[in-house]
């Protein structure tokens, strides 16, 4: 995102990225209690909406709108990060599956940077119009946001594995599994 934003918008792209990371850092301190109150599913849905709005703001080319929407992306990102961990843990049938689920998540997350930049390069190369490129990205983002509504509601905490030390809390059990 940084490469594309600064190459398209120059200084405004730089400031948009700075605002995203600043608001992410500040809002990360209050995101966990908000996510706890909303629940992980609603937090993921709410936290992903600013990304769609940010793409839409880029359609206009208005620097002020892009930078303001970047602030909302940072807040949304902090909510997403707080919620995705909880959703990931709660979606595991047992602690013994947590490593696999976490590995798959981070594999997809890490490859998204490469794949996302490659897709944007192809879109920009084919369309030869940045505004049209952001229209396509906004459409893809809106579709992806709607897919989050299909996330199942979860039942709660995972069941610790029977080989965990006796009396271990869920957090201690998770740490124990991570170290073995």
């Amino acid at each position: 995102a940084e490469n594309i934003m600064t190459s398209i918008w120059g200084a405004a792209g730089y400031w948009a990225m700075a605002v995203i990371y600043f608001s992410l850092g500040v809002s990360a301190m209050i995101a966990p209690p908000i996510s706890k109150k909303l629940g992980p599913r609603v937090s993921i849905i709410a936290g992903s909406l600013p990304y769609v709005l940010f793409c839409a703001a880029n359609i206009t080319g208005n620097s002020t709108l892009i930078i303001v929407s970047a602030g909302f992306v940072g807040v949304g990102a902090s909510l997403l990060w707080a919620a995705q961990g909880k959703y990931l843990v709660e979606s595991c049938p047992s602690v013994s599956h947590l490593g696999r689920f976490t590995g798959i998540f981070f594999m997809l997350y890490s490859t998204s940077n490469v794949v996302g930049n490659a897709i944007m390069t192809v879109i920009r190369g084919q369309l030869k119009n940045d505004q049209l490129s952001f229209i396509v990205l906004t459409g893809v983002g809106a579709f992806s946001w709607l897919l989050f509504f299909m996330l199942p509601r979860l039942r709660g905490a995972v069941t610790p594995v029977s080989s965990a030390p006796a009396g271990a809390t869920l957090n201690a059990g998770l740490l124990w599994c991570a170290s073995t």
Side-chain angles (χ1 to χ4, degrees), residues 13-177:
Y14 167 80
W15 284 107
M17 292 295 100
V19 168
I20 287 173
Y21 291 116
F22 178 77
S23 64
L24 171 68
V26 171
S27 63
M29 294 182 267
I30 61 168
I34 293 171
S35 179
K36 184 176 182 180
K37 179 115 176 122
L38 295 175
R41 181 179 175 273
V42 173
S43 296
I44 289 171
I45 292 168
S48 60
L49 182 60
Y51 286 88
V52 178
L53 300 177
F54 180 69
C55 287
N58 277 274
I59 295 169
T60 67
N62 181 318
S63 297
T64 304
L65 187 58
I66 291 169
I67 292 169
V68 169
S69 65
F72 289 111
V73 168
V75 173
S78 67
L79 198 55
L80 272 173
W81 275 109
Q84 66 82 22
K86 179 122 174 98
Y87 194 89
L88 182 72
V89 168
E90 288 183 0
S91 66
C92 290
S94 72
V95 174
S96 63
H97 291 88
L98 189 58
R100 182 180 313 136
F101 279 41
T102 304
I104 291 169
F105 170 80
F106 280 106
M107 177 200 63
L108 293 172
Y109 175 73
S110 296
T111 58
S112 70
N113 288 327
V114 174
V115 173
N117 280 326
I119 290 171
M120 185 60 175
T121 300
V122 169
I123 289 172
R124 286 185 72 206
Q126 294 296 316
L127 299 178
K128 306 213 183 319
N129 179 330
D130 289 332
Q131 185 179 27
L132 198 53
S133 299
F134 282 112
I135 290 171
V136 170
L137 286 177
T138 302
V140 170
F143 177 73
S144 301
W145 178 72
L146 290 172
L147 288 177
F148 283 130
F149 284 93
M150 297 175 64
L151 285 172
R153 286 174 172 67
L154 298 173
R155 66 199 179 291
V158 299
T159 307
V161 290
S162 59
S163 60
T169 64
L170 178 60
N171 289 336
L174 292 174
L175 291 173
W176 180 83
C177 285

